[in-house]
Amino acid sequence: MSTKTTFKRIALVAVASLGFGLMTAIPSNAAVNGDGLALASATGSATIPVSGSTTPVTVVATSTFLAAASADAVTVTVALQSAPAGNTVWPTWTSVGTGTGSAGELDASLQVITISAIGSGAKSHAATISLAPNVAGTYVVGVTQKVAGTVTRTLTWTVTAAPVGPVTAANSTSFLNATTNTDATADAVVSASKDVNAVQAATVVVTAKNATPSDLTSSTALTAVVTGVGTVGIGTAAGSLVSQGRYVVGAAGANKIGIFSDGTAGVSTVSIYAGTLLLSTETVTFYGPAVTLKATVATTVLGIISNTEAVTVTAFDVLGNPSYVSAVYLVSDTAATIATTGALVAVATAGTKYAIVGAAAGTASVKFSTLADPTATGAVVSNATAVRVSNNTATSVVFTFDKASYLPGEAAVITATVSNAAGVLPAGEHGVLTGAATSSLVMTAGTPSLPSGTITTVGNTGQATYNVNMPLSSGSVTLSATAANDTITVTGATVEVTGGVAQDAVDAANDATDAANAAQDAANAAADAADAAPAAAQDAGDMAVAAAEAAGEIAQQAADAAVEATDAANAATDAANAAAEAADAATDAANSAAEAAQAATDAVAALSTQVASLIAGLKAQLTALTNLVIKIQKKVKA
């Protein structure tokens, strides 16, 4: 027995006696890196079906030889350190690479492999560790090589059980697309000829999912049921599906459904089930020969150029479903304006867009025919539609705003309409201005900016639009521009910018001025009342004299007059007080109205002084009058 074999057996016995312990044998020629054991990955994960896995989870273990001779070898041990309860499988070795390996099973929990070098020089040889778990959970595996010391590496596998049902329609997906496309992420509109052939018209790819959502496609059997025309087939490869009938049950995992013609025109509706659960409904239209053509003009105003996508032609079968024709011919009633053409490309089921070439300014009626001679037997002819060819020479540019007035800074749209005597011009660039349009107040331009020397119109409108923001101040905004030549008329536009913060300030100033004016009116009224007080006092004096002359009755009348005079004086005082309060209000208003309010305050102050003086004089007159009455009374008693 060789020394090498003896050492290997000693190592196996030692490992077996330690249970899950990790030991290796020292090879007879140990020209091996003492720290040279490497794992391709320290961790891994896998998903197993409920019944267990037949595809092992693997990782590569590599030993490095420093200067290997042909006899160099190292023994590496792999052991299952921990596993979930119920596990009955153990890690195994498989030899890989250019080295040689041999695996010998010591017992149910241990695997040992000898990794050998071939040839001389530094080499690295590897072996694969495999695990085919049958229980979900965490598996920890230790891998050990012993060369001048034990080197141990640990890897962890997390095994997750494959999800179970039930399948839900809400999370499952079903995508319809033409032919064998399996990458679709949205449904396509599919039309196909009713003619029977072996090629499928459409493919439906179904992904069954549960509420998690987890993919249950591999364990889900689909059923496809056809309503209307057509047949279906179910399989795993979209390119190899065949027609199987109108009610087909597929095997688990077969999630590709082909839809085929049965020779009848109409709509094929395919309902797809997982068991009795309806997952989706898809439709394909099978068309018959075209019996109708419909022309829809996208551009009614054409230039003397090739106008791309000017008209769309769609074919329909007898059921009104979009159909197909191999070619059409454009037929014009005015060749000088639009010429009749030869065969154009085929009309697709979704409609085909064609260019119309404008030959000269004018109008023409055009239609499309499946034959060059629209009057020939079998020709399918479209409706006639009128178009106008413009000479593209502008004579007018008109600017308009989308509103009559704006707030400061408000967004606005400017429209420039380019036309000539015959009407609007075709879409395109029109050099109608000498330069950019100008505004009397600065506007903030958006995208595009203000109209430039060239105005680019779109569609059949002859118009171009520009987004701006109005000035932040109030006032009139006038947009104007200069025509590129004398044959073009430019009409500007004017709008008003009102309101906003600036206008509020003006309104507040006006309100303050009105308040000051009202205060002045009140002061004037108070002055008029003060002017009337002396006259009243004089009348009272005259009455007193008359009373003295007329004795007691007249004296009594004089006393009454004195009382009335006192009331008048009180009224004058109240009026003055009211004037003073009005003056205070005017002062407050004047503070926010600047110079106007200050003027009102000065006027009120002057008036207050005058009123006070008048009141003082009135009081003096009343005192004298009272003394006179007393004197008269004394004389009467005497």
Side-chain angles (χ1 to χ4, degrees):
M1 180 180 298
S2 69
T3 303
K4 177 177 175 182
T5 303
T6 301
F7 277 125
K8 180 176 179 182
R9 290 185 175 182
I10 293 171
L12 295 179
V13 172
V15 170
S17 65
L18 292 175
F20 282 165
L22 304 175
M23 291 275 301
T24 62
I26 300 176
S28 60
N29 297 287
V32 180
N33 184 355
D35 193 33
L37 175 64
L39 301 180
S41 175
T43 60
S45 62
T47 299
I48 63 171
V50 176
S51 59
S53 176
T54 58
T55 302
V57 187
T58 62
V59 67
V60 176
T62 303
S63 290
T64 303
F65 297 80
L66 296 177
S70 60
D72 282 340
V74 64
T75 301
V76 183
T77 303
V78 59
L80 185 64
Q81 295 182 345
S82 64
N87 176 62
T88 60
V89 298
W90 311 98
T92 59
W93 283 104
T94 302
S95 177
V96 297
T98 59
T100 61
S102 60
E105 183 176 351
L106 181 64
D107 58 30
S109 63
L110 184 64
Q111 288 288 334
V112 177
I113 192 166
T114 300
I115 301 177
S116 301
I118 297 178
S120 61
K123 292 182 179 296
S124 178
H125 295 279
T128 300
I129 308 165
S130 299
L131 180 69
N134 61 355
V135 177
T138 300
Y139 294 77
V140 179
V141 176
V143 185
T144 302
Q145 96 176 2
K146 185 175 181 181
V147 177
T150 300
V151 180
T152 301
R153 303 286 186 255
T154 301
L155 62 92
T156 301
W157 278 307
T158 301
V159 178
T160 304
V164 296
V167 174
T168 64
N171 290 332
S172 298
T173 60
S174 170
F175 297 122
L176 168 74
N177 222 282
T179 63
T180 59
N181 181 12
T182 60
D183 298 325
T185 57
D187 282 337
V189 177
V190 179
S191 295
S193 172
K194 73 178 183 64
D195 297 338
V196 178
N197 56 63
V199 179
Q200 64 198 66
T203 300
V204 182
V205 179
V206 180
T207 303
K209 296 182 180 180
N210 62 12
T212 305
S214 297
D215 192 339
L216 304 181
T217 300
S218 62
S219 60
T220 302
L222 300 176
T223 300
V225 181
V226 177
T227 303
V229 304
T231 61
V232 293
I234 300 178
T236 58
S240 60
L241 300 177
V242 296
S243 174
Q244 296 172 283
R246 294 170 55 82
Y247 185 102
V248 179
V249 179
N255 69 327
K256 311 299 190 299
I257 300 174
I259 303 176
F260 302 81
S261 171
D262 63 1
T264 306
V267 177
S268 178
T269 301
V270 180
S271 301
I272 303 168
Y273 296 85
T276 60
L277 175 66
L278 177 63
L279 297 183
S280 67
T281 300
E282 307 290 356
T283 61
V284 173
T285 300
F286 290 100
Y287 56 81
V291 296
T292 304
L293 290 181
K294 180 180 180 181
T296 304
V297 173
T299 306
T300 56
V301 182
L302 307 177
I304 306 177
I305 54 174
S306 177
N307 302 271
T308 60
E309 299 186 354
V311 62
T312 300
V313 179
T314 306
F316 298 92
D317 66 8
V318 69
L319 298 177
N321 294 317
S323 184
Y324 172 89
V325 294
S326 59
V328 293
Y329 297 81
L330 184 150
V331 181
S332 171
D333 70 345
T334 308
T337 302
I338 296 175
T340 297
T341 67
L344 303 174
V345 297
V347 174
T349 54
T352 301
K353 295 180 179 179
Y354 297 104
I356 296 180
V357 179
T363 59
S365 177
V366 298
K367 56 188 175 182
F368 295 82
S369 170
T370 56
L371 298 177
D373 180 3
T375 63
T377 302
V380 179
V381 183
S382 75
N383 55 296
T385 184
V387 293
R388 178 171 69 87
V389 177
S390 171
N391 60 11
N392 212 26
T393 301
T395 59
S396 172
V397 181
V398 178
F399 294 116
T400 56
F401 288 93
D402 61 331
K403 290 174 60 177
S405 64
Y406 301 87
L407 294 173
E410 184 179 357
V413 178
I414 299 171
T415 299
T417 303
V418 184
S419 60
N420 59 16
V424 298
L425 297 186
E429 295 182 349
H430 306 282
V432 291
L433 305 177
T434 58
T438 59
S439 172
S440 59
L441 294 177
V442 177
M443 295 183 293
T444 303
T447 302
S449 59
L450 290 176
S452 63
T454 299
I455 295 178
T456 303
T457 62
V458 296
N460 298 320
T461 63
Q463 295 179 338
T465 57
Y466 307 86
N467 300 312
V468 298
N469 286 89
M470 283 295 159
L472 298 177
S473 59
S474 301
S476 295
V477 178
T478 298
L479 184 69
S480 58
T482 302
N485 56 63
D486 294 339
T487 64
I488 301 174
T489 301
V490 178
T491 304
T494 300
V495 294
E496 296 296 323
V497 178
T498 61
V501 176
Q503 187 63 43
D504 291 343
V506 173
D507 293 341
N510 291 336
D511 292 343
T513 300
D514 293 341
N517 291 336
Q520 184 63 51
D521 293 341
N524 292 338
D528 292 341
D531 290 341
Q538 184 61 48
D539 292 340
D542 294 342
M543 292 175 62
V545 173
E549 293 175 352
E553 182 178 356
I554 296 176
Q556 185 60 48
Q557 293 177 354
D560 293 339
V563 172
E564 291 177 0
T566 300
D567 292 339
N570 291 336
T573 300
D574 293 339
N577 290 335
E581 293 175 355
D584 290 339
T587 300
D588 294 338
N591 287 336
S592 59
E595 294 179 0
Q598 185 60 47
T601 301
D602 294 341
V604 171
L607 177 61
S608 297
T609 301
Q610 183 180 1
V611 170
S613 177
L614 291 172
I615 291 173
L618 178 60
K619 286 183 177 179
Q621 291 179 0
L622 291 176
T623 300
L625 177 59
T626 302
N627 292 336
L628 178 60
V629 171
I630 294 172
K631 185 176 181 180
I632 293 172
Q633 288 177 340
K634 289 180 179 181
K635 288 183 179 181
V636 172
K637 290 180 179 180

